[in-house]
Amino acid sequence: MVFEMELQTNNLTVSMGGKIICRDLDFAMRPGECWGVLGQNGAGKTTLLRTLAGLHAPQAGAVNLDGKPLQAQSRHEVARSLAVLLQSESGEFWGSVLDYVLLGRFPHRTALFGYSAADEAIAQQALAQMELLPLAQRPLNTLSGGERQRAAMAQALAQQTRGYLLDEPLQHLDLRHQLQAMRVFGQLKQQGKAVLMVLHDTLWAQRCCDHLLLLFPDGRTLHGAAHELLTRDHLEALYQCPLRELMVEGERCFVPGV
Amino acid sequence: MFPRILFFLLSCVTLLSLVFGLMSGSLPLPPGEVWHALWGGDGGTAAEVLWQLRLPRVLAAFACGGLLSLAGVLLQALLRNPLADPYILGISGGAAVGALAAMLLGAGLSATQFSSLGGALLAIVAVFGLGFRSGERNIYRLLLTGVVVSAGCGALVSLLLTLAQFEQVKGMLFWLMGDLSQPQGLPLAWLVLLAVGLCATIFSGGLDVLAGGLDKAAALGVAVARWQMALYFAAALLTVAALQLGGSIGFVGLMMPHAIRLLGVSAHRWLIPLSVLLGGSFLVCADTLARTLWSPLQLPVGVFTALLGVPVLLWLLGRRR
């Protein structure tokens, strides 16, 4: 089956600047699953996500995509099955928002010169999903932080991959657009795609993620079903601060205690 | 739509600049006579002047401008720095040291060219060997290595100028400012320009992706390290070819890509051909003015590239909000 994808780690040990982020991690992300990664600032969420994307070399172990180690596949192959939303981009992009979203079609490009009409239609659709159509012709560098974030998500959507790795997809977004983005990710999940996102908001993690991966400050990790892991004890250990648990209309919320 | 119109306009400008270059000189020729002398085949004075002197000169100027602009586009994509120009990685510094050292030793023209080529190649290999590491943060390392090598070469150039005889200094200064009167390897330069230009245009999609950041490019399927190496050596090849034609002519490689961007075109598939056309025709005009305005005195073309280009670019910068 072409649409089945699995991202799986095998005894994965990741380190960054001498700090161990996780040790001997074994987990598998399957089609239709939505994973949330939670942890303190500096716990290594981004580095782990970059490792899963093949952008950071693991210290030991391997990341397998569809049963083959990432390092053994070409970047082109990986980019056709895995889209990555990065937290910050260092590049200077001079073109319009549409040009920027079209870059997401790069791994699937068939036209020798520029992009085909079909690619453009896919990019337009992605822009519509992120409510960016009115800004399509604006230069990217005139956008606000939140608009730019939505443009980056539209680019990942235009990539039309089976897996999505999203580093803080909600950063800079206002409440309405947070909701909008989460709806889109829910649709991806329903289409049988695998989504993994780094989050800071435990409420969104509870509402959207069926699985969680917790990165504790001491390098310990926990992963499993979200409803089992999302407890006050775990979160207090995770964020090293007292929390209060509230029930609001049947929904569990965690707020910082005093 | 707009890039297509611009392409058409710049093609016309290119044609006009070439005709302008062929018409102007100590023997002014109207366009009709240029046409007749080129294709009439009667072998008169006009034909001799055109075929022997002016045609090679305008072709050299166009190729040189095109090579520098293309090198500028590629280096700005590689270093992701808008201030990158063909000379930033020390190639022209190495070439200048080679050329001036040969001149100091009283070498002839071909030995000087050969020595400058040697200096350039040495600089290319040294900067690559010392500065090139693949990866997001390491691009500054390459940039800084280039700047350091350039600075070292600049000091050597000053030393060589100080050591030189008084009558040697003028020739050295002309080399340093850029001068198209003795182009070397013209057919080869055109071959390099066309081959690299074509390849770069075909692979322009990858350049657009690279401009958005290296991690992003890798995530979109670009083999970043391989691309960086290819870009480095392609830009080096273009720069060496341009240096052999006209010495280190400033301004063109840095500013032509920006001029096209300021006109609103940034996709590399258009940026590359448009920059080449603009840079080529711009240098043809600058060179024609440099050799005719104060004739029989020939001014270094590098002076004119800046004198002509600075007001235009300041206007473009001021216009754009």
Side-chain angles (χ1 to χ4, degrees):
Chain A
M1 177 73 187
V2 183
F3 286 98
E4 297 285 297
M5 75 94 71
E6 189 182 65
L7 189 71
Q8 170 234 339
T9 66
N10 205 342
N11 280 329
L12 185 72
T13 301
V14 179
S15 71
M16 177 69 168
K19 177 185 184 298
I20 297 281
I21 288 162
C22 64
R23 192 175 270 122
D24 298 329
L25 178 67
D26 285 294
F27 87 101
M29 186 168 83
R30 296 189 182 81
E33 289 181 353
C34 182
W35 282 74
V37 180
L38 299 178
Q40 271 191 338
N41 291 155
K45 304 181 291 296
T46 296
T47 306
L48 177 64
L49 183 129
R50 281 165 41 86
T51 310
L52 295 177
L55 301 174
H56 180 83
Q59 190 181 313
V63 180
N64 296 324
L65 178 65
D66 297 329
K68 263 171 43 183
L70 272 186
Q71 311 293 341
Q73 304 184 37
S74 76
R75 286 305 326 170
H76 184 70
E77 271 180 274
V78 174
R80 290 164 73 99
S81 2
L82 208 57
V84 187
L85 176 76
L86 297 163
Q87 202 181 126
S88 61
E89 289 173 21
S90 55
E92 286 222 27
F93 191 81
W94 309 77
S96 71
V97 176
L98 177 62
D99 291 338
Y100 180 73
V101 174
L102 266 175
L103 295 184
R105 297 306 300 160
F106 182 74
H108 305 283
R109 207 163 65 121
T110 48
L112 186 63
F113 193 71
Y115 291 89
S116 68
D119 286 333
E120 201 144 321
I122 291 169
Q124 296 276 5
Q125 191 198 334
L127 281 169
Q129 277 180 290
M130 283 294 140
E131 301 183 349
L132 279 173
L133 271 182
L135 305 181
Q137 297 305 327
R138 278 255 298 270
L140 183 80
N141 53 26
T142 64
L143 260 52
S144 77
E147 287 166 341
R148 217 188 142 110
Q149 176 73 7
R150 276 149 60 206
M153 278 194 286
Q155 188 188 59
L157 291 175
Q159 215 171 324
Q160 293 195 330
T161 47
R162 294 173 290 145
Y164 287 82
L165 302 177
L166 311 167
D167 197 356
E168 293 196 34
L170 302 180
Q171 68 174 344
H172 307 307
L173 296 188
D174 59 47
L175 289 178
R176 187 168 76 83
H177 287 108
Q178 290 185 16
L179 193 61
Q180 165 75 3
M182 281 306 189
R183 269 197 206 122
V184 172
F185 301 147
Q187 287 164 10
L188 291 177
K189 200 178 108 168
Q190 276 167 7
Q191 290 163 16
K193 310 201 167 189
V195 183
L196 177 141
M197 48 186 138
V198 170
L199 289 172
H200 276 303
D201 194 327
T202 54
L203 185 66
W204 283 123
Q206 173 170 292
R207 280 193 189 169
C208 300
C209 300
D210 39 45
H211 291 75
L212 286 182
L213 176 59
L214 307 182
L215 294 182
F216 290 96
D218 56 2
R220 220 158 38 86
T221 57
L222 267 182
H223 59 89
H227 61 90
E228 284 170 19
L229 289 186
L230 214 56
T231 64
R232 188 173 140 189
D233 287 348
H234 279 145
L235 291 179
E236 283 188 336
L238 196 67
Y239 295 113
Q240 293 184 306
C241 75
L243 293 175
R244 275 170 39 201
E245 190 174 337
L246 309 174
M247 289 300 277
V248 183
E249 296 180 8
E251 194 173 37
R252 247 187 323 169
C253 304
F254 298 95
V255 295
V258 193
Chain B
M1 204 55 216
F2 178 66
R4 278 166 235 266
I5 297 170
L6 202 58
F7 186 79
F8 176 73
L9 285 179
L10 280 178
S11 302
C12 296
V13 168
T14 300
L15 204 65
L16 288 177
S17 73
L18 292 175
V19 173
F20 171 60
L22 290 175
M23 282 164 55
S24 316
S26 51
L27 174 69
L29 297 168
E33 265 184 65
V34 169
W35 182 263
H36 183 71
L38 277 181
W39 308 115
D42 56 359
T45 325
E48 200 157 300
V49 166
L50 277 177
W51 282 105
Q52 299 297 321
L53 295 173
R54 286 190 201 159
L55 192 63
R57 178 111 183 199
V58 295
L59 287 180
F62 187 87
C64 190
L67 288 163
L68 290 172
S69 303
L70 184 52
V73 171
L74 298 188
L75 282 170
Q76 284 164 13
L78 169 68
L79 300 170
R80 285 182 301 118
N81 189 319
L83 290 178
D85 81 346
Y87 309 134
I88 204 161
L89 292 179
I91 301 171
S92 68
V97 170
L100 266 57
M103 286 180 185
L104 186 70
L105 296 173
L109 179 63
S110 55
T112 303
Q113 293 288 350
F114 195 71
S115 173
S116 83
L117 183 63
L121 293 180
L122 206 63
I124 292 168
V125 173
V127 170
F128 184 80
L130 295 171
F132 187 85
R133 305 280 186 281
S134 171
E136 181 83 60
R137 283 166 197 86
N138 294 324
I139 209 70
Y140 296 106
R141 188 191 168 105
L142 182 65
L143 189 58
L144 284 175
T145 310
V147 169
V148 168
V149 169
S150 290
C153 290
L156 284 177
V157 162
S158 304
L159 181 67
L160 288 167
L161 281 171
T162 320
L163 293 176
Q165 305 286 329
F166 190 68
E167 59 271 22
Q168 289 175 324
V169 172
K170 192 167 176 186
M172 292 181 168
L173 285 179
F174 260 68
W175 198 98
L176 289 175
M177 284 184 283
D179 174 30
L180 282 157
S181 58
Q182 288 149 339
Q184 300 292 306
L186 184 56
L188 204 62
W190 271 92
L191 191 69
V192 168
L193 176 61
L194 293 176
V196 178
L198 195 69
C199 280
T201 310
I202 288 173
F203 290 106
S204 57
L207 292 176
D208 291 335
V209 175
L210 273 176
L214 296 185
D215 270 349
K216 175 115 251 181
L220 285 170
V222 169
V224 172
R226 228 179 299 156
W227 273 78
Q228 285 180 317
M229 256 192 276
L231 277 177
Y232 178 82
F233 284 108
L237 181 64
L238 293 165
T239 308
V240 166
L243 285 168
Q244 293 292 302
L245 282 180
S248 54
I249 298 172
F251 193 78
V252 179
L254 172 66
M255 291 317 290
M256 291 304 123
H258 286 305
I260 299 293
R261 287 195 193 103
L262 285 169
L263 289 170
V265 178
S266 61
H268 281 87
R269 64 179 179 277
W270 288 110
L271 184 61
I272 288 166
L274 292 175
S275 299
V276 168
L277 286 180
L278 182 67
S281 49
F282 177 73
L283 199 55
V284 170
C285 292
D287 181 53
T288 305
L289 290 176
R291 68 187 161 84
T292 54
L293 270 189
W294 269 274
S295 80
L297 192 65
Q298 301 225 342
L299 301 171
V301 62
V303 173
F304 272 87
T305 53
L307 283 183
L308 281 177
V310 166
V312 175
L313 272 145
L314 286 178
W315 174 72
L316 275 174
L317 282 167
R319 188 189 64 118
R320 178 101 172 176
R321 289 279 164 269

